[in-house]
Amino acid sequence: MSNQNTNEALLLEYLTFRLGEETYGLDIMAVKEIRGYEKGTKLANVPEFVLGVVNLRGDIVPIVDLRIRFNVGKPIYDEFTIVIMLNINERFVGIVVDEVCDVIKVDSETIKPAPQFGAVFDMEYLEGLVTVEDIMVILVNIQALVTSDTFALIDKNNEEQERPQ
């Protein structure tokens, strides 16, 4: 008796986007919406890649420029700047990217581990690499990014600024 499930690969969907010259992908299930950039309220004592926070229908959402965070691309803020709003474990965050490309379906077996050297991208936030139509897509572990120490700092500063004096 054979087990058919062992031969069935898992199809995953990723939203692809560009930072500088590179194409990245993140789990489509984390995407809440895609919208234009709006200047947020600056927070004190946060890294420069945290542009501030915005109010998204009652939720205070930190906005992070991944171009600055991963030192790729030139940060320009104009009417073409895009923010991908994410919902990860009931935590909202907006990420600024250069361009949103497409939704791709990826066979889980085609995802290759990232090399352990020479990567501009922090390895802890990397899920792997996949080639789609001759384009190498860097798959981001967005959950690791959103649960990182940086976001704990944002939460702390946001709570301090909201407290009445």
Side-chain angles (χ1 to χ4, degrees):
M1 196 162 130
S2 67
N3 184 354
Q4 290 183 342
N5 289 339
T6 57
N7 295 334
E8 292 179 21
L10 183 60
L11 274 182
L12 305 170
E13 286 188 306
Y14 292 89
L15 176 68
T16 59
F17 59 92
R18 300 202 36 95
L19 295 174
E21 299 297 314
E22 303 302 327
T23 302
Y24 296 82
L26 59 84
D27 182 353
I28 191 73
M29 296 306 292
V31 177
K32 181 177 174 77
E33 67 183 76
I34 299 168
R35 56 189 288 148
Y37 174 76
E38 68 179 87
K39 189 174 170 100
T41 302
K42 289 293 248 179
L43 298 175
N45 301 318
V46 296
E48 74 170 308
F49 58 83
V50 179
L51 303 179
V53 294
V54 297
N55 186 332
L56 180 66
R57 294 181 290 283
D59 291 312
I60 302 302
V61 180
I63 304 297
V64 173
D65 193 325
L66 288 187
R67 301 169 299 185
I68 297 171
R69 175 67 179 94
F70 298 115
N71 196 25
V72 291
K74 183 178 179 192
I76 297 172
Y77 307 102
D78 60 21
E79 67 272 15
F80 303 109
T81 304
I82 297 169
V83 179
I84 303 171
M85 293 295 188
L86 305 171
N87 179 353
I88 298 151
N89 297 331
E90 301 304 313
R91 180 183 196 141
F92 298 103
V93 64
I95 58 172
V96 177
V97 301
D98 288 323
E99 174 186 1
V100 171
C101 302
D102 202 357
V103 175
I104 60 171
K105 290 185 181 183
V106 175
D107 179 331
S108 61
E109 293 178 359
T110 64
I111 298 172
K112 306 292 184 217
Q116 295 300 311
F117 60 92
V120 172
F121 203 79
D122 286 355
M123 298 306 288
E124 66 185 294
Y125 307 129
L126 198 62
E127 192 172 302
L129 301 167
V130 66
T131 302
V132 179
E133 297 176 7
D134 296 327
I135 297 172
M136 181 70 65
V137 179
I138 303 165
L139 301 178
V140 179
N141 181 341
I142 204 70
Q143 185 163 353
L145 177 64
V146 173
T147 57
S148 70
D149 291 342
T150 299
F151 286 89
L153 177 64
I154 294 169
D155 289 344
K156 181 177 180 276
N157 285 340
N158 194 27
E159 288 168 8
E160 287 174 2
Q161 287 192 0
E162 287 179 354
R163 264 191 231 129
Q165 300 294 327

